[in-house]
Amino acid sequence: MDTTTKIHQIDQIYRSLKLKTPNKHHLPTHASVLLLATHPAKDNSTIVELGSGIGHVSLVIGKMLPNSKIIGIEIQKDLYEYSLQNKEINEINNVEFLNTEVKNVKNYFETETIDYIISNPPHYFDGLKSQISDRKIARSAEDLKVLEDFIYASKYLLKNKGLGCFIIHPYILSDVLIILEKNNLEPQHLYIAYGNKEKDAQLISLTFRKNGGRNLLIHPPIFLSEWGAERS
């Protein structure tokens, strides 16, 4: 399935979902769609989303991959509770949610038991701070510790040769590559998303493989303006 067809399918699923949220800042964004359009997961798999928020990405994957099991992990209790409501409202039964910190995955999973990891992890550091107070916990950190936790959790959970996909800001690409290398997670696919042809890159989708070889592919650019109305 090509990216354009996949984005159309994602859009149709999102339009069919009924989502409860504490505010609009936790609704789907371009980052959500980019993650769904570029992640490598196939059906009949076990998939973990790190930082699942109100659950909409996990729920869309649950509908796209009906024979898979998806587990969303969310630290914020209120967002976790919304994800449970959204699962029930939309009657998607192959998705589960856990309310815990990403660094606590050892308490819930055996190592090397997950086929795919997906995440839009915290990516505002130092000079790149979120201006939206409601996103401070989910989208900010004083140092790289939270990002390191997400990457280490990926290493712990993934099967040998398993794949992960993170959506990150270009600002932290070099940091992510360094931390991935430390954890034997090798970059495999990189998609760069721009607002339009006149703007600098806004988002990066980076797929990595546990104990993978050096086979990085950099794909053609993605222009978010071609996806319809601008998402926040």
Side-chain angles (χ1 to χ4, degrees):
M1 184 186 299
D2 61 49
T3 303
T4 301
T5 302
K6 202 169 185 180
I7 289 170
H8 178 72
Q9 180 185 8
I10 293 163
D11 182 66
Q12 293 300 111
I13 295 174
Y14 265 131
R15 290 178 186 276
S16 72
L17 291 181
K18 298 177 181 178
L19 295 173
K20 287 192 172 184
T21 177
N23 55 60
K24 66 178 183 179
H25 302 309
H26 298 288
L27 289 170
T29 65
H30 274 146
S32 314
V33 177
L34 183 63
L35 178 58
L36 288 162
T38 58
H39 75 79
K42 298 180 181 179
D43 209 359
N44 296 292
S45 303
T46 303
I47 303 159
V48 167
E49 182 187 6
L50 302 176
S52 51
I54 64 169
H56 57 80
V57 169
S58 286
L59 295 174
V60 171
I61 293 178
K63 296 199 75 162
M64 294 179 74
L65 305 177
N67 299 307
S68 294
K69 179 179 180 180
I70 301 94
I71 305 118
I73 296 175
E74 174 54 48
I75 185 175
Q76 296 186 65
K77 183 70 176 295
D78 61 333
L79 301 185
Y80 160 75
E81 290 176 345
Y82 276 102
S83 69
L84 295 180
Q85 293 179 55
N86 289 328
K87 171 188 172 179
E88 182 177 357
I89 292 169
N90 293 283
E91 299 181 341
I92 302 174
N93 298 319
N94 60 333
V95 180
E96 300 176 5
F97 295 101
L98 295 174
N99 177 213
T100 188
E101 294 184 71
V102 164
K103 65 183 180 181
N104 291 337
V105 292
K106 290 183 178 181
N107 297 335
Y108 297 88
F109 301 89
E110 296 293 327
T111 189
E112 298 195 331
T113 54
I114 304 302
D115 298 299
Y116 298 98
I117 297 291
I118 60 168
S119 184
N120 179 14
H123 55 248
Y124 289 96
F125 303 102
D126 301 323
L128 189 70
K129 298 293 186 181
S130 173
Q131 300 302 309
I132 303 172
S133 60
D134 291 331
R135 287 183 176 173
K136 282 185 179 178
I137 295 176
R139 289 286 173 268
S140 63
E142 292 303 316
D143 53 34
L144 295 176
K145 182 62 172 65
V146 175
L147 183 59
E148 289 173 346
D149 288 341
F150 273 64
I151 291 175
Y152 179 78
S154 301
K155 174 187 177 181
Y156 174 84
L157 291 169
L158 282 174
K159 295 177 180 178
N160 187 41
K161 306 301 182 182
L163 292 165
C165 183
F166 280 14
I167 301 300
I168 61 173
H169 193 281
Y171 180 85
I172 62 164
L173 177 59
S174 59
D175 296 301
V176 171
L177 293 175
I178 290 168
I179 301 170
L180 286 175
E181 184 176 11
K182 290 179 180 177
N183 287 276
N184 297 318
L185 300 170
E186 188 69 32
Q188 301 288 294
H189 297 273
L190 190 147
Y191 295 85
I192 305 174
Y194 301 81
N196 58 50
K197 294 180 181 179
E198 306 301 321
K199 292 185 177 181
D200 293 334
Q202 293 186 359
L203 296 167
I204 290 174
S205 169
L206 180 62
T207 294
F208 51 87
R209 186 185 299 276
K210 184 173 181 178
N211 300 319
R214 294 187 181 276
N215 299 302
L216 177 62
L217 295 176
I218 300 177
H219 295 272
I222 292 172
F223 298 104
L224 303 177
S225 58
E226 297 176 357
W227 292 5
E230 185 84 11
R231 293 177 184 266
S232 59

